[in-house]
Amino acid sequence: MNENIRVVVVGGGYAGVMAANRLTQRADVAVTLVNPRPTFVERIRLHQLVGGSHDAVVDYREVLAGGVELVVDTATRIDAAGRRVTLAGGDALGYDHLVYAVGSGSADPRVPGAAEFAHPIASLEEALRLRPLVAAAPAGAPVTVVGAGPTGIETAAELAEEGRAVTLVCGGALGPYLHAKGRRAVSRRLAALGVTVVEGPGTKVAAVAAGSVTLADGRTLPSAVTVWTAGFGVPDLAARSGLTTDALGRLVTDETLTSVDDARIVAAGDSAAPSELPLRMSCQAAGPLGAQAADTVLSRIAGDRPATLRVGFVGQCMSLGRRSAVFQFSNKEDTAKGLFLGGRPAAKLKEMVCRSTVKLLADEARKPGSCTAHRWFKEGGRQELLRARGAGTAAAPADHGADRGADRGADRMTDKVAGR
């Protein structure tokens, strides 16, 4: 009797859960999901946790297929040669294939005082620590939110709607992803909520203290609670394991999401850098990337050639409190258009998006293979660019006894092309 094929999925976020569920299509595949928490975190609701309107967690029984074994632990090293994952608790898991889906989190702000006096919000634990600090602050105490991307905007609006005196420090432009029309709509809503927006040259934070934030132009803002949403980082597990990463630590893969070092390792979600041209960190990309990663593993098991990446975007949705939002439409290459939806209709759409991401995982758990989001888009600018750079070839058919290389002579893709 043949033993089951062992697949370990490291990371239980949107991408990891999607991949784990999808892998259960084959009865001869034993799937183990390694995650440091016993519950699924809705990262796109963490600003609501801080504001007190949602707990931002879901029981894994609601989103994870019954055939997936959940191991609550943290992976500390991947031994690619020995095909083993070492866990912080002392155990080790052997694997035949591995899905690397460790996600993303807060980055080192590298600003004097920020590590001591500013509070990040990228993880459940960080948001849980921040919530009581906000709740304990006097009603009129100044709250400063640093960073004017989606998380910063959503957090500022959420706290302002709760009655807090909020200042949003942009460090540049408000909502740099947004089209000018969408940016004006966000600005109007923030103003209506009473948020003071500090943007433009000289608004990068130079220092953080216990009761203040100092800007590059010399201004000092009072701040009883400082929330830090600027920047992002990824766990260094791949780098510590000797795998090839990009400058930010994401695992470098080809367009089938296969590691350039090892055909048995695929990546998905925020921690993946396909062709060193990573997609925007978002649940919009994470779910389809998880499905793609699982399909690559299943293709290799079957001896088939894995399909290449065809993920695209439709836009970016930002809540502006509980009663308003802005949905910024984009082309599939993730460049914002002049079209947006605002107000209460956008708030309803944002809530539908939040619920649908969880439903998508639950549907895949009940019916593995049902997700088609990673196949919605035809080839476009990404594929044309990769072909021009000589990096758009598919991975070779399964060769379980050998590492698979990649063309590492390709130039690093530009941030502009990546939609950043």
Side-chain angles (χ1 to χ4, degrees), residues 12 17 33 35 37-40 58-64 70:
V17 171
L33 178 69
N35 194 64
R37 306 174 196 88
T39 53
F40 176 80
V58 176
D59 194 307
Y60 268 121
R61 288 175 295 185
E62 297 182 27
V63 295
L64 195 60
L70 174 64

Side-chain angles (χ1 to χ4, degrees), residues 219-413:
R219 281 180 287 175
T220 297
L221 309 175
S223 183
V225 179
T226 301
V227 184
W228 195 276
T229 72
F232 64 87
V234 297
D236 64 351
L237 175 61
R240 282 189 285 111
S241 301
L243 299 170
T244 300
T245 64
D246 69 0
L248 290 175
R250 291 171 289 211
L251 185 67
V252 176
T253 75
D254 66 7
E255 288 294 285
T256 72
L257 300 181
T258 302
S259 165
V260 297
D261 302 305
D262 192 322
R264 292 177 176 270
I265 298 175
V266 301
D270 293 352
S271 55
S275 304
E276 295 196 76
L277 180 58
L279 286 82
R280 170 163 53 87
M281 292 182 168
S282 63
C283 66
Q284 187 176 170
L289 287 174
Q292 173 92 28
D295 285 356
T296 292
V297 172
L298 293 171
S299 293
R300 287 223 162 82
I301 291 171
D304 299 329
R305 179 182 292 271
T308 54
L309 193 62
R310 282 203 338 240
V311 175
F313 289 85
V314 296
Q316 186 179 84
C317 196
M318 289 181 286
S319 64
L320 298 170
R322 295 297 88 215
R323 295 182 293 276
S324 185
V326 163
F327 190 96
Q328 171 68 70
F329 291 92
S330 74
N331 63 20
K332 66 182 178 182
E333 271 77 36
D334 205 24
T335 299
K337 299 178 179 180
L339 179 65
F340 73 93
L341 179 68
R344 191 173 292 274
K348 292 180 178 179
L349 177 59
K350 175 61 187 292
E351 179 60 24
M352 184 185 74
V353 168
C354 290
R355 294 185 181 187
S356 67
T357 57
V358 174
K359 184 178 184 298
L360 184 68
L361 299 177
D363 289 346
E364 188 70 19
R366 287 191 295 269
K367 188 179 179 182
S370 61
C371 176
T372 59
H374 59 312
R375 291 285 168 248
W376 287 351
F377 297 91
K378 296 180 180 179
E379 288 195 357
R382 178 185 180 89
Q383 288 76 22
E384 292 174 5
L385 175 62
L386 288 169
R387 280 194 289 269
R389 294 295 182 96
T393 56
D399 179 2
H400 300 317
D403 291 344
R404 199 193 63 78
D407 180 8
R408 301 185 191 179
D411 293 336
R412 183 177 298 275
M413 307 302 178

Side-chain angles (χ1 to χ4, degrees), residues 84-103:
R84 292 169 66 84
V85 179
T86 303
L87 305 180
D91 292 333
L93 301 173
Y95 66 83
D96 297 298
H97 298 271
L98 182 140
V99 178
Y100 187 84
V102 296

Side-chain angles (χ1 to χ4, degrees), residues 5 7 44 92 105 327 353 391:
I5 299 165
V7 182
I44 55 177
F327 190 96
V353 168

Side-chain angles (χ1 to χ4, degrees), residues 44-184:
I44 55 177
R45 290 193 188 272
L46 288 178
H47 64 284
Q48 289 184 251
L49 191 160
V50 173
S53 64
H54 202 282
D55 61 8
V57 294
V58 176
D59 194 307
Y60 268 121
R61 288 175 295 185
E62 297 182 27
V63 295
L64 195 60
V68 176
E69 179 189 6
L70 174 64
V71 174
V72 180
D73 209 331
T74 300
T76 57
R77 188 175 182 275
I78 298 167
D79 177 3
R83 297 179 199 160
R84 292 169 66 84
V85 179
T86 303
L87 305 180
D91 292 333
L93 301 173
Y95 66 83
D96 297 298
H97 298 271
L98 182 140
V99 178
Y100 187 84
V102 296
S104 63
S106 301
D108 181 355
R110 297 184 179 179
V111 171
E116 295 84 3
F117 303 113
H119 305 279
I121 190 180
S123 72
L124 176 64
E125 291 76 15
E126 291 168 343
L128 286 171
R129 286 192 293 268
L130 177 58
R131 175 57 191 161
L133 296 176
V134 171
V143 176
T144 302
V145 178
V146 179
T151 303
I153 291 170
E154 290 186 322
T155 303
E158 198 79 22
L159 295 178
E161 193 174 69
E162 196 183 62
R164 297 290 171 179
V166 180
T167 297
L168 178 62
V169 177
C170 299
L174 172 69
Y177 173 88
L178 298 168
H179 187 276
K181 294 179 180 179
R183 186 174 297 113
R184 285 194 291 269

